[in-house]
Amino acid sequence: MKISRKEYFQQLLSWKDKKMIKVVTGIRRCGKSTLLKMFRDYLLEQGIENHQIISINFEDYEYEDLWEPRVLYQYIKERICPDKMMYLFLDEIQNVRDFQRVVDSFFLRDNIDIYMTGSNSYMLSGELATLLTGRYVLIEMLPFSFAEYVQMNGMEKGAEEAYRRYIATSSFPFVSSILSDSRQIQDYLRSIYDTIILKDVIGRKKITDVMMLESIIRFLADNIGNPLSTKKISDTMSSNGRHINVKTVESYISAFMESYVIYQAKRYEVKGKQYLKTLEKYYMADIGLRRAMLGHSGQADTGHILENVIYLELLRRGYRVYVGKVDNLEVDFVAMDEEGINYFQVAATVREQDTLERELKPLQKIADNYPKCILTLDMDPPADYDGIRRLNALDYLLGP
């Protein structure tokens, strides 16, 4: 069974035949290649002929010769029909040296619609950004949402059990085909982790202190949802007998973010409407990957795990997501889009009155009339506290 990934598919469809390069990025194995295949199948169903589609996956050994830009250019050029619309699909394009020049040369032709994928955002920096400024649209892809996971695997035992499996296994699409074998899941997740670290981080950044690199990413994974500064991370490593300076920590974190294994949420001063530069929070692209890295289930982290899941869901829904600051209090997420702002508090439970009051307090201090919501795992009916809604998080995740 294939999941349509309709949000991402619709974005591709909305840009079809428009003079923009479609760039799909995201962590390895999140489904980018499958998305492009589904889109190619759609084109064929719409009457596009096979010879109008040129598709190359640069992780396929068959195309290794095309890693040379001049050879790639000639290969594509020989297959272009000048009198027909052509659709060019370049999968994991970052493997090609100077690929941006090849892409730019074909972009200049009126009858070529270009689609690319890549597993790190580094491909969008430097020369590509310079050559193609204003010429590409970015579609950032994530592994399965909880709703997609349920669509794939069902929830015969209810939403709570489905959520438990979702965070205990993984949101990577392939894992749904091996759910009955926990050892295979762990091996698969470890292989993703090793590939990201070796290919996307160590290889490209030419890092020699691999143990320190892994210590940093495990520290970030173990502290999802906690305010962190690079100095705090540096000091923690040093107190454990491993000296590392702040600049190197920043470089490592940047590499993790470019590989989409880690996401950073910056802070936003709600009353002053300004962005802050310190004490960011970090979240993992997949909770199952976090578990495989840390070697434990993290059951004590129920609240932070839910926070991580909600953060990714807000990104999927098109929000720009920040951690809010209201005086000396914190709002878990300030989610912005073209229509305005939504404020979210996330907690495993608020059944204790003290906990409920603590979660309500920062939202009550916000004077504007934008929606405010508390999301919890409590299986209780929705409630309203003077305009602040309390909802079940799983209902929210499964909703539109």
Side-chain angles (χ1 to χ4, degrees):
M1 179 181 177
K2 285 187 178 179
I3 303 301
S4 64
R5 313 305 301 272
K6 61 182 180 180
E7 292 86 357
Y8 305 117
F9 188 91
Q10 286 300 320
Q11 288 184 66
L12 288 181
L13 189 58
S14 69
W15 288 102
K16 177 180 172 291
D17 294 335
K18 293 187 170 77
K19 198 62 178 173
M20 294 288 281
I21 299 168
K22 278 62 74 174
V23 182
V24 182
T25 62
I27 191 171
R28 288 181 179 272
R29 306 295 176 258
C30 70
K32 300 185 297 294
S33 299
T34 302
L35 178 68
L36 289 196
K37 183 181 185 306
M38 288 191 292
F39 196 74
R40 292 196 300 272
D41 291 343
Y42 168 81
L43 293 177
L44 294 172
E45 291 169 3
Q46 297 301 306
I48 300 300
E49 299 178 19
N50 269 309
H51 66 268
Q52 292 177 258
I53 298 175
I54 303 171
S55 181
I56 306 167
N57 186 336
F58 293 99
E59 291 201 322
D60 187 336
Y61 187 73
E62 180 181 353
Y63 298 113
E64 187 182 22
D65 291 347
L66 301 185
W67 287 20
E68 176 59 40
R70 176 58 62 178
V71 178
L72 174 61
Y73 176 82
Q74 195 62 35
Y75 177 91
I76 297 173
K77 182 180 178 182
E78 290 172 356
R79 286 159 175 77
I80 292 174
C81 301
D83 58 341
K84 290 190 176 181
M85 190 67 185
M86 300 295 298
Y87 296 89
L88 178 58
F89 293 87
L90 304 172
D91 206 356
E92 298 296 348
I93 185 66
Q94 77 275 356
N95 289 313
V96 179
R97 176 176 56 85
D98 289 336
F99 73 87
Q100 56 271 12
R101 296 188 178 279
V102 179
V103 171
D104 188 43
S105 66
F106 289 113
F107 175 80
L108 298 175
R109 305 191 182 204
D110 291 332
N111 68 321
I112 299 181
D113 196 16
I114 302 174
Y115 301 80
M116 306 191 311
T117 76
S119 294
N120 61 68
S121 63
Y122 179 75
M123 62 178 282
L124 299 175
S125 63
E127 216 167 351
L128 177 63
T130 301
L131 280 172
L132 302 179
T133 297
R135 300 182 185 181
Y136 69 86
V137 58
L138 183 63
I139 299 170
E140 294 188 338
M141 197 170 185
L142 286 159
F144 278 167
S145 66
F146 179 54
E148 289 171 327
Y149 179 87
V150 166
Q151 185 183 349
M152 185 75 173
N153 302 293
M155 55 176 188
E156 294 178 6
K157 297 181 180 180
E160 289 178 282
E161 174 61 18
Y163 176 75
R164 187 195 65 77
R165 295 191 75 189
Y166 178 67
I167 62 174
T169 54
S170 172
S171 61
F172 284 105
F174 180 72
V175 169
S176 289
S177 67
I178 54 173
L179 280 179
S180 60
D181 193 323
S182 59
R183 177 61 181 270
Q184 283 189 356
I185 292 173
Q186 292 306 301
D187 289 345
Y188 178 71
L189 293 174
R190 187 70 203 184
S191 73
I192 293 176
Y193 170 77
D194 289 343
T195 301
I196 292 170
I197 295 301
L198 292 173
K199 273 192 170 185
D200 297 338
V201 179
I202 294 173
R204 186 169 56 77
K205 291 281 189 178
K206 296 180 171 53
I207 292 169
T208 56
D209 194 345
V210 178
M211 288 183 64
M212 177 58 80
L213 180 82
E214 292 197 288
S215 294
I216 297 294
I217 194 169
R218 280 197 295 268
F219 182 83
L220 293 174
D222 205 25
N223 285 275
I224 55 171
N226 290 326
L228 294 174
S229 68
T230 50
K231 185 178 187 307
K232 179 179 180 180
I233 297 171
S234 172
D235 290 345
T236 300
M237 295 297 111
S238 298
S239 68
N240 292 332
R242 302 291 307 282
H243 178 71
I244 182 172
N245 61 46
V246 170
K247 186 175 181 180
T248 303
V249 172
E250 290 173 352
S251 175
Y252 287 179
I253 292 177
S254 176
F256 298 142
M257 291 168 60
E258 287 171 358
S259 300
Y260 297 104
V261 67
I262 291 287
Y263 285 79
Q264 182 190 75
K266 293 184 177 295
R267 291 201 306 154
Y268 176 77
E269 168 54 58
V270 175
K271 289 185 176 179
K273 294 182 171 55
Q274 59 182 331
Y275 302 99
L276 306 175
K277 296 182 179 180
T278 58
L279 293 177
E280 300 86 358
K281 289 188 176 184
Y282 295 90
Y283 299 97
M284 291 285 297
D286 175 66
I287 291 298
L289 185 61
R290 173 182 184 259
R291 181 177 183 176
M293 286 168 48
L294 296 177
H296 61 76
S297 62
Q299 290 302 316
D301 294 340
T302 303
H304 281 154
I305 288 173
L306 179 62
E307 192 177 317
N308 198 124
V309 171
I310 295 297
Y311 172 80
L312 296 178
E313 181 65 20
L314 293 173
L315 293 184
R316 287 187 187 93
R317 298 189 185 190
Y319 291 110
R320 303 183 304 278
V321 187
Y322 303 90
V323 176
K325 181 178 181 296
V326 185
D327 297 332
N328 62 336
L329 301 175
E330 179 180 285
V331 177
D332 287 328
F333 298 126
V334 179
M336 303 180 183
D337 63 9
E338 290 69 26
E339 297 180 3
I341 300 174
N342 284 265
Y343 301 103
F344 293 91
Q345 291 288 76
V346 181
T349 178
V350 292
R351 283 178 172 165
E352 295 291 333
Q353 186 64 28
D354 288 348
T355 306
L356 175 61
E357 291 176 0
R358 185 176 68 245
E359 298 297 330
L360 284 170
K361 192 171 182 180
L363 297 178
Q364 291 168 336
K365 281 180 166 285
I366 300 173
D368 64 46
N369 294 316
Y370 287 118
K372 303 170 182 67
C373 182
I374 300 175
L375 297 174
T376 83
L377 291 174
D378 296 328
M379 301 303 287
D380 299 329
D384 187 287
Y385 306 94
D386 294 325
I388 300 172
R389 294 180 302 155
R390 190 198 74 221
L391 299 175
N392 176 260
L394 304 188
D395 288 341
Y396 179 82
L397 293 168
L398 292 171

